[in-house]
Amino acid sequence: MRERTALGAYRVRVTRQRRGQTVASPAGTDEQTEHPEAGQRPGYGRLLRTSGAWTFVATGYLARQPFAMLAISILLLVQHTTGSYGTAGAVSAASGLAFALLAPQSGKLADRFGQRAVLVPGVVLHAAAVSVLVTLALAQAPTWALFVAAVPTGGTAPQAGPMVRARWAAKLGGSPLASTAAAFESVTDEFTFVVGPVIATALCTGVHPAAGLVAEGAVTLTGGLLFAAQRRTQPAPVRAPRTQSGQGTRSALGVPGTRVLAIAVLGIGIVFGGMQVSLTAFTESIGRPEANGVMYGVFAAGNMLAALAVGALRGGRGPRTRLLTAYPLLVLATLALAVAAQWGTWAVLLGGLGLLTGLCVAPCMITCFTLTELLVPAGVRTEAFTWLTGAIAFGQALGSTVAGQLADGMGARGGFLTPLAGTALALAVLAVFRGALDGPAHEALPSRGVGHREGAAVD
C-alpha cells in the first residue's frame, strides 16, 4: 500500500514538472522546473538555453579536443621513429591502458573534492609528460623508455568529457532534456573525433612528426585551465554517495549495469582504434598517406550525423531496448567492412562502409551514457562516466595494438578484422548480462525511480 501511495505521489510530481508547475521538495523548499510542454520536443535549442550551459560547453569542448588527438599523435610519431606499426600501436596502447585504469580514480576524486581540485594539477602533469615522450621519441630512445613515458602521458589526460556530462546531469536531473544532453555530448565527442585526427595527421605529416603531440599538450593545458575556471557550474562535491536504497556505495562499479556498459563501450573503443590503424596502413599501402585523415574523418562524420539525429528525434522505446537493437546493427556494419577489405583495395567502398559503421556507432554510445546516468547514483556519477570513457580509451588502445599486429603480419586488410572481433564479443556480453541494465523502474518512469531526486531548475 505504501509503495502504491509513493508511486502515485511520484507520478503526480512528474506530471506537474512536465506542466512547468512548482514542485515541493522534501526539505520544504519550492523548485521551479521548466520542462518541454506536451508535444514539444526537448531539442538542442532548449538544452543550450539552460542557465550557464555555454560557459562549460565551450571551454569543455576545448579541454576535450586533445583527447581525440592523443592516440593517433603517439601512433604517427612512434611509427615515424621506429618504422613499425606494431610498436607504435603498442606504445599508444600503453597510454590508453594507463588512461583506462587511472581515469576512474580521477573521476572519483572529482566527485568527492570537486572538479577544479583534480583538473588543474592534472593538465599541468599531462603537459609535462607529453614533453618527455616527445623528447624520448625524437632522441631514438629504447622502446622500453617510450612505454614508460606513455604511461603518465595517458594517465594524466584530463576527464573533460565526463566532467561536462556530470554538469549536465546535475543541472537537468530527471528532465526530459537529460537524454538530449547525452546525445549532445556524443555529438560533441564525435565532432572532436572528426576534427582531432585530421588536425593531428595534418600536423604530423605536413609540419613535423612530433607536431601533433606537441599541439595536444598545449591545447590540453590551455583548455583544461579555462574549463577549471568555470566554478559556478561544477557539481557540488559529495563525500558520502548513496544508492537509491540509502546504502552507501564506494564505487560506480558496484552498480552491475556500469560493468556491462563498460564492456559495450570497450567494443566501441576497439572500433575507433582498429579504424585508425587500419586506415593508416591502408592509405600507406595505396600510396596516399594524406588520405588517412579524410577517410577517418568520413567514419567519424557518420558517427556525428547519427548522434545529431538521435538527439533531435524523440525515441519511442526505452534505452535498454534501443541498445539491444542498435548494437547488432553495429556488428553487421563491421562485418561488411571486414569482408570488403579482404576483397580488394577500393578506397571509395571502404570509405562508404566506414561511414555506415560510424552511423551505427553513435546510437550505441549515446544509449550507453544515457543508461549510466539512469542507473548510477549522483555521488559516483563522474566516476561512472570516467569508467566508460576509460573503457573507450582502453578499447581504442587495444584495437590499435591488435590492428597494428595484424597489419604488420597480414597486410593493411588484416587490421579491419579488429572492429568486427571487438563488437562481436561486446554484443555477446550484452546478450548474456542484459538483465543488469534493468533499473529500479525499468523504462517505466522518466527519471531514476521513486523519490530519487527532485527537479532541478532549468532556464
Side-chain angles (χ1 to χ4, degrees), residues 206-290:
V207 180
H208 189 276
L213 199 52
V214 171
E216 188 275 340
V219 176
T220 294
L221 182 62
T222 303
L225 293 177
L226 289 175
F227 180 64
Q230 311 306 315
R231 300 186 184 186
R232 188 171 64 88
T233 56
Q234 73 173 352
V238 180
R239 298 301 177 89
R242 294 190 173 274
T243 62
Q244 294 182 24
S245 63
Q247 298 177 347
T249 180
R250 294 183 177 181
S251 173
L253 285 183
V255 180
T258 304
R259 301 192 291 269
V260 176
L261 293 170
I263 297 298
V265 297
L266 175 70
I268 293 174
I270 291 174
V271 174
F272 289 144
M275 290 292 287
Q276 284 182 347
V277 174
S278 299
L279 291 174
T280 300
F282 171 75
T283 53
E284 288 278 358
S285 70
I286 63 174
R288 298 287 302 276
E290 71 281 358

Side-chain angles (χ1 to χ4, degrees), residues 28-441:
T29 58
D30 289 336
E31 297 178 346
Q32 180 69 30
T33 301
E34 182 183 329
H35 288 269
E37 298 296 334
Q40 186 176 358
R41 291 178 178 175
Y44 293 117
R46 179 178 289 271
L47 177 71
L48 294 176
R49 288 195 296 272
T50 301
S51 176
W54 277 108
T55 61
F56 66 83
V57 166
T59 57
Y61 173 76
L62 183 62
R64 82 173 71 186
Q65 178 63 71
F67 180 72
M69 302 170 61
L70 183 60
I72 196 167
S73 295
I74 293 175
L75 178 73
L76 293 174
L77 173 60
V78 177
Q79 194 279 329
H80 173 80
T81 57
T82 65
S84 169
Y85 285 110
T87 300
V91 173
S92 179
S95 174
L97 178 59
F99 179 89
L101 293 176
L102 296 179
Q105 309 311 316
S106 175
K108 183 183 292 187
L109 292 174
D111 281 326
R112 300 185 70 179
F113 301 105
Q115 295 182 358
R116 177 182 172 84
V118 175
L119 193 57
V120 172
V123 295
V124 173
L125 290 173
H126 181 73
V130 166
S131 300
V132 172
L133 179 57
V134 169
T135 301
L136 290 174
L138 295 180
Q140 302 288 327
T143 302
W144 65 264
L146 299 180
F147 279 103
V148 171
V151 171
T153 299
T156 56
Q159 312 305 308
M163 288 181 180
V164 172
R165 291 179 187 273
R167 295 188 186 211
W168 278 124
K171 273 197 166 286
L172 299 177
S175 166
L177 286 171
S179 295
T180 305
F184 178 80
E185 285 306 304
S186 292
V187 171
T188 305
D189 283 338
E190 299 322 313
F191 187 69
T192 64
F193 277 99
V194 172
V195 175
V198 175
I199 293 176
T201 302
L203 290 172
C204 290
T205 59
V207 180
H208 189 276
L213 199 52
V214 171
E216 188 275 340
V219 176
T220 294
L221 182 62
T222 303
L225 293 177
L226 289 175
F227 180 64
Q230 311 306 315
R231 300 186 184 186
R232 188 171 64 88
T233 56
Q234 73 173 352
V238 180
R239 298 301 177 89
R242 294 190 173 274
T243 62
Q244 294 182 24
S245 63
Q247 298 177 347
T249 180
R250 294 183 177 181
S251 173
L253 285 183
V255 180
T258 304
R259 301 192 291 269
V260 176
L261 293 170
I263 297 298
V265 297
L266 175 70
I268 293 174
I270 291 174
V271 174
F272 289 144
M275 290 292 287
Q276 284 182 347
V277 174
S278 299
L279 291 174
T280 300
F282 171 75
T283 53
E284 288 278 358
S285 70
I286 63 174
R288 298 287 302 276
E290 71 281 358
N292 175 40
V294 175
M295 291 192 69
Y296 189 82
V298 168
F299 159 73
N303 202 343
M304 183 179 67
L305 290 173
L308 282 168
V310 170
L313 299 176
R314 178 180 295 176
R317 294 177 292 182
R320 177 180 177 273
T321 303
R322 290 201 303 269
L323 182 61
L324 295 176
T325 302
Y327 218 95
L329 297 178
L330 174 60
V331 175
L332 290 177
T334 59
L335 173 63
L337 181 66
V339 171
Q342 312 311 309
W343 285 349
T345 56
W346 300 302
V348 175
L349 176 60
L350 291 182
L353 291 173
L355 176 66
L356 176 63
T357 302
L359 289 170
C360 294
V361 164
C364 298
M365 189 158 68
I366 290 171
T367 308
C368 285
F369 278 98
T370 301
L371 278 168
T372 300
E373 203 273 333
L374 292 172
L375 295 173
V376 176
V380 291
R381 188 178 292 136
T382 304
E383 182 201 347
F385 288 148
T386 52
W387 273 115
L388 265 64
T389 305
I392 293 172
F394 178 59
Q396 187 175 9
L398 182 61
S400 65
T401 302
V402 174
Q405 296 293 335
L406 291 176
D408 283 343
M410 300 174 56
R413 67 185 63 184
F416 288 100
L417 296 171
T418 306
L420 171 61
T423 54
L425 290 174
L427 177 60
V429 172
L430 275 176
V432 173
F433 298 103
R434 60 186 181 277
L437 304 180
D438 292 337

